[in-house]
Amino acid sequence: MKIAVKINDVQREFSITPGETLLELLRREGYKGVKKGCETGDCGACAVLLDGRAVNSCLVLAAKVDGHTVVTVEGLEKNGELAPLQEAFLDTGAVQCGYCTPGMLIAATDLLAHNPDPSEEEIKEAISGNLCRCTGYVKQVEAIKLAVQRMRGGEDA
Amino acid sequence: MTLTKVSEFVRPRNLTEAFSLLEEKKARIIAGGIDVILFPTPAERLIDITALPLSGIEGGEEGVSIGATTTMTELLESPVLRGYLNGAVCEMLRQVASPLQRNLATVGGSLMIGHPWSDLITLFLVIGADVTYFDGEEHEVPIDRFYAENIHRRRVILTGINFPAVRRGTAAAFIKFSRTAFDIALLNCAALVETADGRCTAARIAVGGTPRRAKLLVRAAAELAGKPLSEEVVVQAARAAQDEAEVGDDIRASADYRRELVGVGVYRVLSRIRERLEGSA
């Protein structure tokens, strides 16, 4: 079957089988920032924005996104500039092995789009579906706080 | 992982068409689609009902109607539900799965699958919710009957859930015991208490993930009838719940442990309700 999807602001068409997942489709089409981890919705490495909300792409059938909008980590930068969240992850040392990073960035993007001034608890809750085995999560929480501060204009914080 | 059995993915234009597609062959309704992937069946045709007008939340204290394809995130962010029954539905949903999954999971999908560890069913039982479904015609049944008669296993399309009006002096609470924040419940508990002039006029208590699907504890709730919700009465009801609940062993916890959890859980939800009633008095 054929589907039409807007991915990272580009309208695309794909031939898919009705039973394949969005994760499989995206990686086949070269969106390798979408990581394959557990394939059971537990690790969050495959997270993408579907109509603006962060979801596990391993738990979404590709057929379901026909007519919808998907953003992968590749789509977070604008005009060659990293998004404030991406910059903050680099500056804070929140990127170590990097496998969880795309999913964390997607989850955090959803959070800040719906709650621009989250508490630490809200940040932790937002990334609770994203497993990281390097950092112990401290750096990612710091990075998201830093991005919040920068987006509100407090560059030096 | 690719569902190799699936050969067809369709989006019907209305409920009647969806139902006729469901009748013809090995077919399954899909909404968020999580369980379709995690718990595959021999279904060859998937019928996506998320394009039908089955999403949305309406109402207030006078009662709430929720469409089947409303996501858990939409419920959590709904001002209507924050204002209904001291936000008990949001209190429960914050403990269900991860935000990534709550952005996909729908209330209808969750109820139709009816996992025994479901947190929603436990709370919805004490709320006294009604389930609406379509099998060629519309039906509305109390949620306890929906499961007692195994309607969720029949060829039906769940269309929504309705919560009743809340009288003054009513409060509810939910608690989940699990190993990690979004792990499946070892056990969950919910209670709702109606009071008038400081005495309980009606109460419902339920425990789920026992490891079987949630059930109302009728005798434990009867312990509260006509009494003020004092510490002593709460303790009595928690003990009665331990006697009444049918608990068993599974991979997550032993029956003995679960029986302890029933006592602790019921004590805590009733204590929380007591605080909430005092806070609103």
Side-chain angles (χ1 to χ4, degrees), chain A residues 19 24 41 53-54 64 125 128, chain B residues 2-3 11 31 101-103:
Chain A
E24 290 166 315
R53 302 311 302 234
K64 266 195 68 72
E125 159 132 25
S128 64
Chain B
T2 299
L3 302 173
R11 281 190 174 141
Q101 294 190 16
R102 293 198 296 256
N103 284 337

Side-chain angles (χ1 to χ4, degrees), chain B residues 181-201:
Chain B
F182 77 86
D183 206 356
I184 289 166
L186 303 172
L187 189 104
N188 54 40
C189 288
L192 176 144
V193 179
E194 288 181 28
T195 59
D197 302 324
R199 288 176 186 275
C200 302
T201 51

Side-chain angles (χ1 to χ4, degrees), chain A residues 120-139:
Chain A
E120 182 163 329
E121 272 314 298
E122 287 168 333
I123 292 172
K124 286 181 178 172
E125 159 132 25
I127 57 170
S128 64
N130 298 81
L131 298 186
C132 170
R133 296 294 80 159
C134 302
T135 63
Y137 306 99
V138 174
K139 297 293 183 189

Side-chain angles (χ1 to χ4, degrees), chain B residues 7-8 44 47 91 102 123 125 133 140 151 163 179 191 211-212 214 223 236 262 268-270 278-279:
Chain B
S7 58
E8 199 185 349
E44 292 162 14
I47 305 162
E91 173 180 50
R102 293 198 296 256
L123 180 65
L125 275 171
Y133 66 92
E140 179 163 357
I151 296 172
F163 298 153
R179 289 207 164 80
R212 294 165 73 182
E223 286 289 327
Q236 276 170 7
V262 171
R268 286 189 191 164
V269 287
L270 290 176
E278 282 165 7

Side-chain angles (χ1 to χ4, degrees), chain A residues 56-113:
Chain A
N56 308 91
S57 63
C58 69
L59 297 183
V60 179
L61 286 180
K64 266 195 68 72
V65 304
D66 186 22
H68 292 266
T69 301
V70 171
V71 175
T72 69
V73 72
E74 288 91 343
L76 294 184
E77 60 168 47
K78 292 280 174 279
N79 308 318
E81 299 245 335
L82 293 181
L85 267 168
Q86 290 173 300
E87 289 282 3
F89 266 62
L90 289 173
D91 295 344
T92 315
V95 182
Q96 292 190 20
C97 90
Y99 207 81
C100 74
T101 310
M104 289 269 186
L105 286 167
I106 292 291
T109 302
D110 179 349
L111 170 70
L112 300 191

Side-chain angles (χ1 to χ4, degrees), chain B residues 51-127:
Chain B
L52 301 182
L54 291 175
S55 170
I57 304 155
E58 282 173 32
E61 281 293 323
E62 70 281 8
V64 179
S65 293
I66 302 167
T69 61
T70 312
T71 67
M72 297 202 189
T73 298
E74 286 163 346
L75 296 180
L76 252 175
E77 293 176 351
S78 155
V80 170
L81 284 173
R82 243 173 278 152
Y84 181 78
L85 256 183
N86 52 265
V89 177
C90 302
E91 173 180 50
M92 176 272 295
L93 284 172
R94 261 192 298 276
Q95 301 175 61
V96 176
S98 68
L100 301 176
Q101 294 190 16
R102 293 198 296 256
N103 284 337
L104 284 173
T106 64
V107 63
S110 179
L111 295 178
M112 200 59 196
I113 286 145
H115 286 306
W117 56 77
S118 166
D119 300 316
L120 283 76
I121 295 171
T122 308
L123 180 65
F124 291 0
L125 275 171
V126 304
I127 289 176

